[in-house]
Amino acid sequence: MAENAHSTIRSLDSRGRWSELSQAERDAAYDNNAAVKNSAALIAERNEASSRLRGTLKSHLDLPYGERANNKIDLYPAARPDAPCLVFVHGGYWQRNSRELFAMLVEGVAAHGWSVAIPGYSLAPEVSLTDIVGEIPRALDWLAAQGTSYGIAGPVVLSGWSAGAHLVAMALDHPRVHAGLAISGVYDLAPIRDTGLNNALKLTDQEVATLSPLRLPVTQKRLDIAYGSNELPALVNDSIDFHEKRAAAGAPGKLIAVEGADHFTILGALRRPDGILVDAARRLLD
């Protein structure tokens, strides 16, 4: 992105005057549902499509990978066991949603002969963010050990949206992961602690320091970072800043601006077989 364009986006980010903001303004900086006027309709359509597809696609559902209630994974194997596999981690600010609500994404890469795996994870406030971050590697461990018996043995591209993108960044170094695709993520947790989202998360100083990708050493594995051009400035700038940090460390990966997309419509680019993010996922294997 051109320097002047980044400067313009940064100027729109209210976090530049964070200490001056009211609580309501701080909450609004991360409130994706309020920022997208038809978010309720978009979410309802997503959930309906996922419910319909989850019951009709070739699948192995509700397989436990851990001991907690949400430690289950849904597998949608391709015809070929050695086909690439997209492992998708859902969003919801680490406290909402479930794997079942994102089955509609299977169709995008499946049209190109890929498998898909969608792990669930525990939610705050029942568990801490430290616990949540630790569950994604366990799901990947399970896939490495058991995936072949369910017809999934190919290279893994780890992708996630919103909070799921943060979890992708934290699990990128897992040996089962070939590359990553992080969509609409939050990569610095410090401001989150000053919003209503923290009522459930209860982030500690240590968690902000050790679970914020922008505050950690860079993983040298390839990671493409995507955001919608119509997303909240906080998420856009986190994406740009994270890409710049990685580029400065010599880590491979593209920054992908999905023009015209907001926090919810961006998933269409991973849902449609001809979507820009489906193409990005496929190119991660080049």
Side-chain angles (χ1 to χ4, degrees):
M1 175 169 289
E3 188 65 33
N4 60 343
H6 190 182
S7 297
T8 300
I9 293 171
R10 193 175 296 284
S11 70
L12 299 173
D13 190 345
S14 61
R15 297 179 302 177
R17 50 186 183 86
W18 197 243
S19 63
E20 304 169 14
L21 300 186
S22 67
Q23 187 62 59
E25 290 171 322
R26 290 181 178 185
D27 291 345
Y30 287 92
D31 192 341
N32 294 299
N33 291 61
V36 180
K37 296 193 186 309
N38 64 333
S39 60
L42 292 170
I43 292 168
E45 190 279 329
R46 177 198 75 197
N47 294 351
E48 187 281 327
S50 291
S51 177
R52 175 166 34 85
L53 288 170
R54 191 170 184 265
T56 58
L57 296 169
K58 177 188 175 184
S59 61
H60 304 284
L61 304 177
D62 307 318
L63 301 170
Y65 70 81
E67 296 180 355
R68 296 182 179 129
N70 285 4
N71 291 169
K72 293 183 174 63
I73 189 168
D74 292 345
L75 304 181
Y76 302 88
R80 290 178 22 247
D82 62 345
C85 180
L86 182 79
V87 176
F88 181 81
V89 185
H90 73 77
Y93 277 131
W94 309 278
Q95 54 197 281
R96 295 190 295 272
N97 294 329
S98 63
R99 69 191 186 282
E100 299 96 331
L101 303 179
F102 293 85
M104 89 293 183
L105 293 174
V106 173
E107 290 186 314
V109 296
H112 300 278
W114 284 43
S115 297
V116 177
I118 306 180
Y121 55 88
S122 302
L123 302 175
E126 284 75 19
V127 302
S128 69
L129 187 55
T130 298
D131 291 329
I132 293 169
V133 168
E135 288 183 352
I136 305 306
R138 285 200 286 279
L140 292 165
D141 287 344
W142 183 93
L143 189 64
Q146 304 296 333
T148 300
S149 63
Y150 292 96
I152 296 179
V156 163
V157 170
L158 180 63
S159 184
W161 165 75
S162 198
H166 163 268
L167 296 173
V168 165
M170 295 300 298
L172 186 64
D173 61 350
H174 191 279
R176 187 67 178 88
V177 175
H178 177 80
L181 173 61
I183 306 165
S184 304
V186 173
Y187 305 111
D188 186 2
L189 299 176
I192 294 287
R193 190 165 48 173
D194 297 328
T195 73
L197 295 168
N198 201 47
N199 293 338
L201 293 168
K202 297 178 174 58
L203 294 168
T204 66
D205 288 344
Q206 182 177 10
E207 286 177 320
V208 169
T210 61
L211 303 181
S212 295
L214 273 167
R215 297 167 182 254
L216 296 173
V218 166
T219 299
Q220 287 295 323
K221 208 172 288 185
R222 183 171 173 183
L223 177 69
D224 282 5
I225 299 168
Y227 65 91
S229 65
N230 291 343
E231 296 210 60
L232 287 168
L235 274 67
V236 173
N237 278 322
D238 264 20
S239 296
I240 294 170
D241 290 345
F242 190 33
H243 176 261
E244 289 184 346
K245 175 183 174 70
R246 287 178 48 81
K254 296 179 179 179
L255 180 66
I256 304 170
V258 182
E259 293 301 325
D262 60 42
H263 193 66
F264 299 97
T265 59
I266 194 170
L267 285 175
L270 191 62
R271 179 178 179 180
R272 297 186 304 272
D274 63 348
I276 186 175
L277 297 183
V278 170
D279 182 64
R282 296 175 68 202
R283 291 178 182 275
L284 287 169
L285 298 181
D286 292 346

